[in-house]
Each structure stands twice: as structure tokens, then as C-alpha cells.
């Protein structure tokens, strides 16, 4: 089947509008020290323009208030939005809200969609995805937070951290163990927990490289959360008991595509800064652009980004054709390759700028700090590489003698062409 990453002319016009809108209206906000209230006032009319363009919450189908775009189109959109950390929120698809809306769209009941998903899509509520635990980061089968059925309720006890946006959320979607005796991937479930439920303790936002000074993040930080005898109705269960891992995979698959394309947008911005510096700066009597080591950085960055873009678009196209569950190799590869490219391109741009790149007078140092997280969240590189390798190796069978063993192949070829070889020998 031939690959096809093309989009129709009408959508190309939408992408063109997005490029100008992000460049002229959103990126300038990065330079301002804004609180959440002021930021909300500034961006409210921008969000209306996005809605007028039919690009609001584009990750969901039209019947749920989205644009109904396929993953290839969404990927191209996120490549533009990735240039600025504020852009996804202005377009109604910032994490973790976009993934949580997809999760509720997939597994939520009509009542859950009405109460939480639709207000979330309208921007009236904010949400949190509460899965990671201090002792179960890369292996969700080790989750220990429990939800025990008690009549018409579930009672939740446990300790989560890196619960994105918990401090600014109206509700959390918690991944909890509902049946510890079930097979590993059927033990956990997803439950919606309103943040103001008694027993929910959003203890703190954890200082991280990206946000070393907690408390000022417009879109929330990474919180440590304690659940102490938190009682919620059993009707808050998303899907069926034991659906947690299935729902998590369906939520995270498209999210990784969007992350990877956003990383490309961020990489391109760093690359443009690198190239601008190379043609502008002189050292030892010649431009940096004329120095072979700088040329190598530029050429390598261009090739890395092109490879990442093709891998990501191919993964998106595969998802459009056969679904996320049948594109796990492609999704896994873009996660670790895209994260590496993001880091390396920004790193080269800093190097070419020297002390200026290391300073806060350019956005590169902040981009670099944020980029380091890409190799960890949504599963560390090593987990994705292991998963990709295992899936690839399923297509191979053990053999006693290597398939390409030359003496064995020679003997087989002699038998296959014996008639011709005998004739040749007789005529010699």
C-alpha cells in the first residue's frame, strides 16, 4: 500500500492560517510575565478566532465538538503548534485535557460525557491525568493505588505524583487497581475523581527542570497527590472494571503522535535560530556558516528532522489506515527518535550561539530544559525501544544454521541449477 501524506487544498489553507496566527499572535506571549487570569483574558479572543476557523479541539470527531481530522492532518497541525508551549491551549488541545477528552470519548458513559467531556472541550473545565506513582513509573503493572468497591461507591487510597495539571484541575482521571488478583493488564481501571472530593490532597507541584520555580505555570505543573479514603460513585468508573490499560493505550497512542509533531515544530524553531546565527556571526575572520563543523551541525540537524518527520507522518498514516493498536512499532519509534532529535537540534543551536544561547536572553535554554523531559514522559526511551525490538523480533524464527550461510546456500544453489551446471561441465 502506497503511503500518502497529502491533504486537500482547503486544509492547506488552514495550515497556512495557523502558521501566521501562531507566529504573530501566540509566540509574542512568551516574553510577558502573565498570571493565569491575565493570560485567560488575552487568549479568550484568540480562542474565538480558532473556533471560527473550525480548528478548535480538532482531535475529536465532529459529533463531539471536534474537527474530525485524521492523524496525518492532526500531525501537521501539531507541528505548527509545537513552536510555542501556549499554542495547544489556544487551540483547545493542550495536554492533559486533549488526552482525557479522547479517553472519555472512547470509554465514557453518556452521563460522563455530558458532565465532564463536553465542558472540557468547551474550555469550561480543566482536568488531570493521575497515573504515575513514585514506585511505578515505567511499569504500570506495579501500580499500588487501590479502589475498593463499597456498595454504590469506590473508596480510593494511594499516592500519585507527576499528576499533570492537578493543582489547576476540576477533576482527575485516576488509574487505580480495582482487582489485584486479576492478570497484570486487567487489574487497573480509570475513575473520574472531582478534585474537591474529600480526601483528595494535591500536596504540591514538584519542581522540575522545565519549571524549577513552581506555582507560576499558566497550564499547571506536575503535582504530588494523596488519595485518603476518597469516596466517589461507582458510576464514575470509565468503561468497565479492568479497562485501565486498554484505555491508557488508546489515550497515549495518538498523544505520542502529537508530541512528536510538536517536537518537530520546536526543533524547526531552534534550527532556524541556529542557521540565522551561522550566517550572522563572524569568528576568526570568517562566518560561522563557512566553518565545516558548523556546516556539519546544520546538515545533521536537517537530516535528523527530515527522518523524524517522515517517521512521524508514517506512524500517523498507519494509524489512520489500521488503527493505533496496529501501529505500535511505528508509534514507539517516533517516541524515542523524535525525543532525541528535539534534544540534539536544540543542543546544537545553543552551541552555535555560545554564551548567548546559554543565557535567558534567548528561548533556547528553556526549550532545552523542556526537551529533556521528552525522553521520560509517556514512557522512557528504553521502554519504547524494548517494546519495538520485541515486536520486530516476533517476525523471526530461530534456525540452527544462519539463513544466509554461504556454504549451505551454495549447496542448495547447486542442486537447484544442477541440470545447467552439468551441461556446462560437459561442454567445458
Amino acid at each position: 500500500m502506497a503511503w500518502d501524506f497529502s491533504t486537500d487544498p482547503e486544509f492547506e489553507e488552514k495550515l497556512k492560517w495557523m502558521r501566521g496566527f501562531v507566529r504573530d499572535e501566540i509566540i509574542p506571549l512568551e516574553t510577558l510575565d502573565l498570571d493565569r487570569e491575565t493570560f485567560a483574558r488575552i487568549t479568550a479572543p484568540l480562542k474565538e478566532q480558532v473556533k471560527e476557523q473550525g480548528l478548535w479541539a480538532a482531535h475529536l470527531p465532529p459529533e463531539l465538538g471536534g474537527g474530525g481530522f485524521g492523524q496525518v492532518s492532526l500531525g501537521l497541525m501539531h507541528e505548527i503548534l509545537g513552536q510555542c508551549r501556549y499554542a495547544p491551549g489556544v487551540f483547545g488541545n493542550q495536554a492533559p485535557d486533549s488526552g482525557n477528552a479522547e479517553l472519555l470519548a472512547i470509554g465514557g458513559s453518556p452521563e460522563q460525557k455530558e458532565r465532564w467531556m463536553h465542558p472540557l472541550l468547551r474550555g469550561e473545565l480543566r482536568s488531570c491525568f493521575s497515573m504515575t506513582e513514585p514506585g511505578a513509573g515505567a511499569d504500570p503493572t506495579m501500580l499500588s493505588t487501590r479502589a475498593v468497591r463499597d456498595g454504590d461507591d469506590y473508596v480510593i487510597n494511594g499516592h500519585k505524583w507527576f499528576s499533570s495539571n492537578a493543582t489547576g484541575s476540576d477533576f482527575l482521571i485516576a488509574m487505580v487497581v480495582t482487582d489485584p488478583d486479576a492478570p497484570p493488564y486487567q487489574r487497573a481501571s480509570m475513575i473520574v475523581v472531582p478534585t474537591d472530593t474529600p480526601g483528595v490532597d494535591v500536596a504540591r507541584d514538584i519542581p522540575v527542570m522545565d519549571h524549577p520555580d513552581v506555582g507560576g505555570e499558566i497550564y499547571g505543573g506536575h503535582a504530588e497527590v494523596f488519595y485518603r479514603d476518597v469516596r466517589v460513585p461507582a458510576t464514575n468508573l470509565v468503561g468497565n472494571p479492568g479497562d485501565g490499560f486498554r484505555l491508557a493505550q488508546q489515550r497515549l497512542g495518538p498523544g505520542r503522535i502529537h508530541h512528536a509533531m510538536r517536537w518537530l515544530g520546536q526543533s524547526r524553531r531552534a534550527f532556524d535560530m541556529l542557521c540565522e546565527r551561522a550566517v550572522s556571526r563572524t569568528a576568526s575572520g570568517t562566518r560561522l556558516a563557512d566553518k565545516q563543523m558548523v556546516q556539519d551541525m546544520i546538515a545533521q540537524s536537517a537530516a535528523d528532522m527530515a527522518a523524524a518527520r517522515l517517521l512521524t507522518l508514517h506512524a500517523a498514516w498507519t494509524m489512520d489506515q489500521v488503527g493505533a493498536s496496529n501501529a505500535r512499532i511505528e508509534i514507539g519509534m517516533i517516541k524515542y527518535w523524535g525525543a532525541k532529535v528535539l534534544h540534539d537540534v536544540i543542543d546544537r543551536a545553543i552551541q552555535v550561539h555560545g554564551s548567548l544561547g546559554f543565557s535567558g536572553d534567548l528561548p533556547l535554554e528553556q526549550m532545552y530544559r523542556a526537551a529533556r523531559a521528552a525522553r521520560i514522559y509517556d514512557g522512557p526511551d528504553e521502554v519504547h525501544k524494548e517494546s519495538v525490538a520485541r515486536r520486530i523480533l516476533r517476525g523471526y524464527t530461530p534456525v540452527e544454521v544462519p539463513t544466509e550461510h554461504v556454504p549451505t546456500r551454495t549447496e542448495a544453489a547447486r542442486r537447484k541449477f544442477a541440470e545447467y551446471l552439468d551441461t556446462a561441465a560437459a561442454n567445458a
Side-chain angles (χ1 to χ4, degrees):
M1 186 183 300
W3 305 349
D4 184 5
F5 306 147
S6 62
T7 57
D8 60 70
E10 182 180 355
F11 188 75
E12 287 294 332
E13 286 299 311
K14 297 288 188 185
L15 294 176
K16 181 180 178 180
W17 179 85
M18 285 181 62
R19 293 185 189 100
F21 185 73
V22 170
R23 180 187 64 244
D24 299 334
E25 305 296 336
I26 303 179
I27 288 179
L29 294 173
E30 292 177 342
T31 63
L32 302 177
D33 184 14
L34 301 173
D35 57 34
R36 291 191 186 188
E37 188 174 316
T38 305
F39 182 80
R41 286 200 305 268
I42 292 175
T43 55
L46 301 182
K47 293 176 180 179
E48 290 304 314
Q49 292 185 56
V50 171
K51 292 176 182 178
E52 290 170 5
Q53 291 287 329
L55 296 171
W56 178 262
H59 52 290
L60 287 177
E63 62 270 20
L64 297 176
F69 302 118
Q71 292 300 329
V72 169
S73 296
L74 284 173
L76 295 171
M77 289 179 62
H78 281 284
E79 184 177 20
I80 298 170
L81 299 183
Q83 297 174 78
C84 176
R85 66 192 312 157
Y86 297 150
V90 175
F91 279 74
N93 55 25
Q94 73 279 0
D97 294 336
S98 59
N100 287 341
E102 288 179 309
L103 190 153
L104 290 170
I106 295 167
S109 66
E111 293 76 15
Q112 290 171 350
K113 292 176 182 177
E114 185 64 29
R115 181 176 176 184
W116 289 300
M117 189 192 74
H118 291 298
L120 189 63
L121 288 172
R122 292 193 296 266
E124 298 168 1
L125 296 178
R126 293 299 313 280
S127 68
C128 164
F129 188 57
S130 188
M131 180 178 77
T132 303
E133 296 180 6
D139 186 359
T141 64
M142 296 175 65
L143 293 175
S144 61
T145 298
R146 286 290 312 278
V148 177
R149 186 69 183 260
D150 182 22
D152 293 333
D153 298 331
Y154 278 104
V155 179
I156 304 172
N157 283 280
H159 178 197
K160 301 283 189 180
W161 76 339
F162 283 81
S163 291
S164 301
N165 194 47
T167 49
S169 68
D170 297 287
F171 68 91
L172 312 98
I173 297 183
M175 188 164 175
V176 295
V177 175
T178 48
D179 185 357
D181 298 322
Y185 291 99
Q186 297 171 23
R187 294 173 185 166
S189 304
M190 298 283 190
I191 297 180
V192 178
V193 181
T195 310
D196 61 2
T197 304
V200 174
D201 177 13
V202 182
R204 62 169 181 144
D205 275 335
I206 301 165
V208 295
M209 286 178 66
D210 192 13
H211 296 299
D213 299 318
V214 298
E217 302 87 353
I218 289 174
Y219 279 119
H222 308 283
E224 186 167 19
V225 182
F226 293 90
Y227 297 83
R228 299 186 178 99
D229 293 327
V230 176
R231 183 176 290 270
V232 296
T235 53
N236 285 20
L237 184 79
V238 182
N240 299 309
D243 278 353
F245 288 97
R246 179 182 66 83
L247 290 170
Q249 286 302 315
Q250 289 179 294
R251 180 190 187 279
L252 293 173
R256 287 168 182 147
I257 292 282
H258 304 161
H259 276 314
M261 290 302 283
R262 287 175 187 168
W263 297 339
L264 281 172
Q266 192 84 164
S267 300
R268 181 70 207 197
R269 192 174 170 191
F271 181 75
D272 288 340
M273 284 188 269
L274 188 165
C275 293
E276 180 184 74
R277 181 71 168 182
V279 300
S280 304
R281 183 73 168 179
T282 300
S284 302
T286 60
R287 298 183 312 162
L288 293 182
D290 297 325
K291 300 183 184 300
Q292 289 184 344
M293 294 187 72
V294 175
Q295 291 171 353
D296 178 79
M297 292 182 185
I298 293 168
Q300 188 63 55
S301 296
D304 288 347
M305 290 190 300
R309 194 169 195 269
L310 285 172
L311 277 173
T312 306
L313 286 173
H314 179 247
W317 176 85
T318 303
M319 290 174 66
D320 282 341
Q321 300 300 311
V322 296
S325 62
N326 295 308
R328 290 180 180 173
I329 289 177
E330 291 81 1
I331 292 171
M333 285 194 295
I334 65 166
K335 174 61 175 64
Y336 60 76
W337 179 252
K340 179 182 186 304
V341 171
L342 173 68
H343 171 274
D344 290 352
V345 174
I346 296 172
D347 184 72
R348 293 172 191 136
I350 291 174
Q351 192 72 11
V352 169
H353 281 85
S355 57
L356 178 61
F358 188 69
S359 77
D361 285 358
L362 286 178
L364 287 169
E365 63 86 21
Q366 190 281 325
M367 292 163 64
Y368 187 80
R369 286 187 282 111
R372 186 58 185 85
R375 295 186 54 207
I376 298 173
Y377 56 62
D378 283 356
D381 288 358
E382 293 76 13
V383 170
H384 288 287
K385 289 180 179 180
E386 182 183 29
S387 176
V388 167
R390 284 202 313 266
R391 291 180 181 279
I392 290 173
L393 289 172
R394 289 174 189 170
Y396 293 84
T397 304
V399 294
E400 290 293 330
V401 178
T403 304
E404 295 290 343
H405 185 244
V406 173
T408 303
R409 291 174 55 217
T410 300
E411 182 60 32
R414 283 174 177 162
R415 290 195 300 270
K416 180 179 180 67
F417 300 108
E419 177 183 347
Y420 299 98
L421 294 174
D422 291 342
T423 300
N427 293 334

